[in-house]
Amino acid sequence: MDKAKIKEILGTLTLEEKASLCSGADFWHTKKIEGKDIPVIMMSDGPHGLRKMYESSVNPNESIKAVCFPAACALACSFDRELVQDMGKALGNECQSEGVAVLLGPGANIKRSPLCGRNFEYFSEDPYLASQMAASHIKGVQSMGVGSSLKHFAANNQESRRLSVSSEIDERAFREIYLSAFEYAVKEARPQTVMCSYNKIWGEYSSQNKRLLTDILRDEWGFEGLVVSDWGAVDDRVKGVKAGLDLEMPASMGKNDRRIVDAVKNSELDEADLDKVAERVLSLIYTGDENRQYAARWDKDKDRALARRIAADCFVLLKNEKKILPLDTKKKIAFIGEFADKPRFQGGGSSHINVEQTASALEYSKEYAEVGYAQGYITSEDRTDDALLAEAVGLAEQSDTVVIFAGLPDAFESEGYDRQHMRMPQCQLELIDKVCEVNKNVVVVLHNGSPIELPFADKVKGILECYLAGEMVGAAQCDVLFGKVNPSGKLAETFPIKLSDNPSYLNFPGEGDTVQYKEGIFVGYRYYEKKDMQVRFPFGHGLSYTEFEYSDISLSADEINEKDILTVTVTIKNTGKRDGKETVELYVRDTHSSVVRPEKELKGFEKVSLKVGESKRVAFKLDKRAFAYYNTSINDWYVEYGEFEILIGSSSADIRQKASVYVETDNVIPMHFTLDSLGGEVMSFPEGRKIFGEVLKLVNMGFDAAQADENAQMAAQAMFNDMPLHAMVSFVNDERITRELIENMVIDLNKAAIEYAKK
Ligand code: BGC
């Protein structure tokens, strides 16, 4: 419906009616208005399945039977935009068939700590990867005429005290790490709605944070949709209206609507602000109503087949010594561990899908081979069951190859709380150890929503990371284990060796009601690389049953202006013995920078499918943003001129091709000098050397360079480099060095700096 018509409808509503539109009717629907013909729309969770509540149910946890797709933690490992869109389309179609107008998701929050209980619902530690995945998900869902709700905006990176904690992040890290994925998804995929987070940011709740919801989201990024509160995230509803929070969910039983009415009546709130909010609610309702496809039908078997295909493309082959995988069906194979029979495939909380069936690896192994089975441990109990352990070890002894299905039980990871540690249950670790003592051909298959410590990594021959891969997990596991599908997933996050290696370790989940993001921009591989630390498995790592060769990197130019697009091309060849897919990762590194920057940052990736012996040219386009950092002195993205390296690899730790480009900028920020500028800073500026040189000629700094030894010269130089200009007045014992002289010099320096920048 066009804007004029919406405005016309708005004009027919009373103050009370407009206010009533600003909150839900119940947990999932917008409100009806007595006597007015305004439709009602329904929202449902997402993001990896449809969690639609039965209309008749009063329990918000009773949802219809639906298909559970891989959760975001797994999905991101596919590095496959098209695949994610396909999943989005299937979800959109399910929504249409069920009369759901808005699917709540995807979540674009960054994985700051492996402990966040909700990491399984988020894509990555890297904002670029998260941005691509989120945008693809939204494009898929919305292509079916259903709205997405990009969540949880913003800085919601933990579950501890999630309804009250204040996230305190410096502006550069906020922009580069925590907002970036939201920004791209909003600009590129235009979600119909954005869901604000529960937490505060610098002391202000997201639900009433004008800077976040209006200044950044709407004014800077051009968002034109609706902002919905996370369920129960509203604090001060009137402040929320002013800040740009349109729809409060779920119902506050009219309490907050009445507050809005009172606030308008007593002039605390301008009715025009209420009109903006109500207009956006009407617009969402009519969009949903008009896009409704009543004839849509939902084929669950088709969606299950898709869920199986997606899951197999998400698994990450972390280790494959002596090509233990794919399994040799001529050998005697044992599956050990309760997860082989009852896999863990989703996390707990609002994204929990009520499935009709679950595919176990044990069941689907029959499609490929006969395998032995021993339960090994009881998933729900963190204690060794001696009888089960003995049975498993006995089976392992009689088998050629053992596949242990392990990971985290449900209770370890959920919305609502964070993990306390990064370990697997002790009984599973003991099982792996004992099996390794009797069998040298052990593969571990993992089920978890976030990194875990892997103390057995050097003992076993193979590790297949499956994350939480949806209800078809077991079928997909067999497809990969037996070689029908060649694994092609790559890690969307680093696996540190131990929890205390993680950069947020000392500041997670914060103290009291505050969490300080003291690691700044150094999240995930940005930190481990800068610190040159060993990790268990690096970001972007993932093996294949075949091999790929990288060659012939070429750039469209050696020198570009920041406004240009740089095209990077590289050849990838499948040199192994199986068809396969490779994710080619592109990182950018600033070789010299005046601010501290990561060693390199992911700025592109492409997934290519290659038959045996086939090669393809893969192209990437890099724009200004690929080279920029967020400069807080101009409050904008800024490219510093100079040389950048383009690094192409198979993982962040396996760079295969390199090239350099010189990037020019039209927008050089002039150096700015003050009385606090240091001697060394002034001398590092070519014009500064001239200006300051004249002053220096006046004085003997109290030290005779000709006579001093090398150490004394170095010490004097260091003192000078670190001395603020104003201090020269007191330190230099010469009448002619006055404050006035130094002030005039600063003026000259700034003039020269502006002229220099213009060149
Ligand atoms: C969660 C959201 C979810 C909403 C509705 C909240 O508790 O944080 O992600 O969409 O509930 O279930």
Side-chain angles (χ1 to χ4, degrees):
M1 185 177 286
D2 64 28
K3 281 193 176 161
K5 191 87 186 89
I6 298 274
K7 276 210 182 345
E8 201 184 305
I9 298 169
L10 186 72
T12 67
L13 302 182
T14 63
L15 171 62
E16 286 72 11
E17 287 169 342
K18 286 188 282 192
S20 81
L21 281 177
C22 300
S23 66
D26 52 30
F27 243 79
W28 309 107
H29 297 89
T30 55
K31 276 211 205 84
K32 279 201 181 90
I33 297 184
E34 268 312 303
K36 300 270 155 76
D37 192 20
I38 296 173
V40 163
I41 58 163
M42 183 178 198
M43 288 158 254
S44 281
D45 281 305
H48 49 259
L50 182 57
R51 182 172 162 263
K52 182 192 169 184
M53 297 303 144
Y54 287 115
E55 300 281 344
S56 55
S57 170
V58 282
N59 177 353
N61 288 319
E62 277 178 6
S63 56
I64 60 165
K65 294 280 182 201
V67 175
C68 180
F69 289 90
C73 56
L75 200 57
C77 299
S78 73
F79 277 72
D80 191 335
R81 299 174 183 90
E82 235 173 84
L83 197 73
V84 178
Q85 274 202 45
D86 287 348
M87 177 173 136
K89 279 184 200 154
L91 288 169
N93 181 54
E94 293 182 7
C95 288
Q96 284 291 6
S97 319
E98 294 290 339
V100 170
V102 176
L103 186 74
L104 305 175
N109 301 89
I110 292 296
K111 301 184 196 215
R112 176 177 176 243
S113 162
L115 297 186
C116 172
R118 239 179 149 174
N119 272 357
F120 68 89
E121 280 188 71
Y122 301 141
F123 294 113
S124 181
E125 67 185 21
D126 179 81
Y128 177 77
L129 177 57
S131 76
Q132 303 301 301
M133 296 291 108
S136 304
H137 191 287
I138 296 166
K139 282 183 191 170
V141 170
Q142 295 203 158
S143 70
M144 302 306 289
V146 170
S148 289
S149 195
L150 177 63
K151 64 191 187 181
H152 308 91
F153 189 56
N156 181 182
N157 309 95
Q158 63 188 55
E159 291 301 281
S160 306
R161 287 187 181 240
R162 69 171 170 161
L163 286 125
S164 59
V165 73
S166 175
S167 302
E168 314 218 322
I169 315 174
D170 72 78
E171 187 63 13
R172 185 174 160 207
F174 192 37
R175 298 289 188 149
E176 287 185 25
I177 306 293
Y178 297 99
L179 288 186
S180 229
F182 287 98
E183 178 183 357
Y184 179 84
V186 162
K187 289 179 174 169
E188 172 70 19
R190 303 183 159 270
Q192 285 184 20
T193 81
V194 165
M195 185 191 292
C196 77
S197 60
Y198 282 127
N199 52 287
K200 299 175 192 148
I201 299 170
W202 287 105
E204 185 67 284
Y205 277 108
S206 296
S207 61
Q208 56 204 43
N209 197 317
K210 179 170 171 298
R211 174 162 190 258
L212 187 73
L213 302 186
T214 297
D215 302 353
I216 295 179
L217 180 63
R218 294 187 189 282
D219 297 347
E220 273 188 45
W221 300 349
F223 178 66
E224 288 180 345
L226 169 139
V227 177
V228 59
S229 72
D230 197 346
W231 268 228
V234 166
D235 171 44
D236 179 336
R237 185 66 183 106
V238 174
K239 226 173 159 185
V241 172
K242 290 184 194 168
L245 173 68
D246 304 309
L247 179 62
E248 172 188 13
M249 287 302 286
S252 61
M253 316 191 59
K255 282 177 261 181
N256 278 332
D257 305 347
R258 286 194 288 281
R259 282 217 56 219
I260 295 176
V261 172
D262 291 346
V264 172
K265 284 189 176 157
N266 66 26
S267 305
E268 187 194 337
L269 179 68
D270 190 342
E271 192 164 351
D273 283 336
L274 171 61
D275 284 355
K276 275 192 224 158
V277 161
E279 192 181 326
R280 291 195 286 250
V281 176
L282 283 174
S283 177
L284 181 80
I285 292 175
Y286 280 104
T287 305
D289 191 57
E290 284 166 6
N291 286 346
R292 180 84 199 264
Q293 294 166 11
Y294 288 92
R297 289 291 165 269
W298 180 14
D299 180 345
K300 284 193 181 144
D301 287 334
K302 195 169 147 221
D303 287 359
R304 275 191 200 109
L306 178 64
R308 177 176 182 169
R309 177 164 73 84
I310 297 175
D313 268 7
C314 295
F315 297 159
V316 187
L317 183 59
L318 293 175
K319 182 173 181 186
N320 197 20
E321 214 175 280
K322 304 225 165 94
K323 300 205 170 147
I324 183 138
L325 291 178
L327 295 169
D328 180 349
T329 48
K330 290 194 278 309
K331 300 249 168 82
K332 217 171 158 194
I333 299 166
F335 279 10
I336 291 180
E338 197 176 6
F339 281 152
D341 186 27
K342 299 192 185 88
R344 174 147 180 264
F345 59 93
Q346 64 174 331
S350 62
S351 67
H352 199 270
I353 303 302
N354 190 5
V355 296
E356 237 158 35
Q357 59 189 54
T358 315
S360 79
L362 199 52
E363 179 191 344
Y364 276 81
S365 63
K366 296 188 188 104
E367 288 185 5
Y368 295 95
E370 205 182 297
V371 306
Y373 172 67
Q375 184 181 331
Y377 58 83
I378 301 168
T379 307
S380 57
E381 291 179 17
D382 194 0
R383 72 171 175 88
T384 295
D385 182 305
D386 292 334
L388 291 181
L389 178 64
E391 183 201 13
V393 173
L395 177 65
E397 257 171 334
Q398 295 153 26
S399 307
D400 298 317
T401 310
V402 179
V403 185
I404 303 180
F405 291 74
L408 300 181
D410 272 334
F412 275 46
E413 290 169 302
S414 169
E415 175 178 341
Y417 55 90
D418 292 320
R419 280 196 290 167
Q420 299 300 309
H421 58 77
M422 224 179 95
R423 295 187 298 277
M424 279 167 60
Q426 190 50 38
C427 60
Q428 293 190 29
L429 293 176
E430 194 180 341
L431 172 72
I432 296 171
D433 277 353
K434 291 271 160 24
V435 167
C436 285
E437 280 170 20
V438 300
N439 193 307
K440 298 289 161 246
N441 297 315
V442 177
V443 174
V444 175
V445 173
L446 291 170
H447 311 66
N448 45 291
S450 202
I452 40 186
E453 289 173 8
L454 303 173
F456 51 82
D458 294 333
K459 281 191 205 162
V460 299
K461 284 214 172 111
I463 305 178
L464 183 69
E465 174 57 79
C466 299
Y467 280 103
L468 302 178
E471 66 176 76
M472 293 306 288
V473 59
Q477 282 168 338
C478 289
D479 293 343
V480 169
L481 290 171
F482 291 100
K484 181 175 164 199
V485 173
N486 190 347
S488 62
K490 301 260 175 116
L491 285 182
E493 61 193 326
T494 312
F495 269 53
I497 292 174
K498 54 188 189 307
L499 177 64
S500 56
D501 292 346
N502 179 262
S504 73
Y505 180 67
L506 297 177
N507 299 289
F508 184 93
E511 285 173 358
D513 251 353
T514 302
V515 52
Q516 296 194 350
Y517 289 44
K518 290 194 180 166
E519 67 284 359
I521 58 167
F522 292 100
V523 174
Y525 68 89
R526 286 169 170 74
Y527 174 81
Y528 302 115
E529 290 190 349
K530 198 79 184 172
K531 295 270 292 179
D532 200 10
M533 280 170 77
Q534 252 208 313
V535 296
R536 182 67 75 193
F537 292 107
F539 175 83
H541 168 75
L543 306 170
S544 163
Y545 295 156
T546 188
E547 285 93 47
F548 301 98
E549 190 184 87
Y550 289 56
S551 64
D552 300 323
I553 187 169
S554 81
L555 307 186
S556 53
D558 299 335
E559 234 183 279
I560 55 164
N561 184 281
E562 60 171 10
K563 291 189 200 122
D564 301 334
I565 301 285
L566 178 74
T567 306
V568 181
T569 25
V570 67
T571 300
I572 312 296
K573 183 172 184 194
N574 182 346
T575 53
K577 295 194 179 71
R578 278 170 185 266
D579 298 348
K581 293 182 195 163
E582 169 74 331
T583 294
V584 184
E585 303 166 29
L586 183 150
Y587 298 86
V588 172
R589 166 181 156 80
D590 191 350
T591 58
H592 296 93
S593 173
S594 62
V595 294
V596 59
R597 293 194 73 169
E599 282 300 293
K600 63 177 181 294
E601 296 178 272
L602 184 76
K603 296 294 172 184
F605 60 82
E606 291 301 329
K607 194 159 187 173
V608 272
S609 180
L610 294 165
K611 299 216 173 308
V612 174
E614 191 185 5
S615 63
K616 281 187 185 156
R617 285 294 276 170
V618 181
F620 301 87
K621 302 241 176 260
L622 299 180
D623 62 10
K624 170 181 170 182
R625 192 66 177 262
F627 302 97
Y629 70 91
Y630 193 82
N631 185 317
T632 49
S633 70
I634 55 165
N635 289 325
D636 203 354
W637 294 90
Y638 182 66
V639 177
E640 203 166 45
Y641 63 87
E643 190 202 40
F644 289 80
E645 269 178 1
I646 310 297
L647 309 166
I648 297 216
S650 178
S651 95
S652 63
D654 183 8
I655 298 301
R656 309 277 187 89
Q657 294 273 292
K658 263 188 202 180
S660 291
V661 60
Y662 190 91
V663 185
E664 273 291 357
T665 172
D666 294 339
N667 179 21
V668 176
I669 303 173
M671 289 180 83
H672 183 68
F673 296 98
T674 67
L675 288 175
D676 286 337
S677 298
L678 305 180
E681 285 169 356
V682 176
M683 295 301 271
S684 70
F685 168 48
E687 298 300 309
R689 262 198 302 280
K690 288 187 207 150
I691 295 169
F692 205 5
E694 291 303 312
V695 175
L696 288 180
K697 272 192 210 148
L698 294 179
V699 295
N700 169 353
M701 296 279 288
F703 140 93
D704 186 344
Q707 287 188 5
D709 65 22
E710 222 175 280
N711 279 345
Q713 277 188 36
M714 267 172 53
Q717 188 65 48
M719 298 269 280
F720 172 78
N721 282 348
D722 245 21
M723 189 180 291
L725 297 180
H726 70 81
M728 306 263 169
V729 177
S730 352
F731 273 107
V732 180
N733 199 6
D734 188 308
E735 287 286 334
R736 288 166 298 179
I737 304 294
T738 61
R739 187 165 172 101
E740 204 186 353
L741 177 90
I742 301 286
E743 278 170 355
N744 285 334
M745 187 178 83
V746 167
I747 293 171
D748 290 345
L749 283 169
N750 284 326
K751 279 190 200 146
I754 291 169
E755 287 310 311
Y756 191 79
K758 281 190 201 152
K759 288 192 217 154

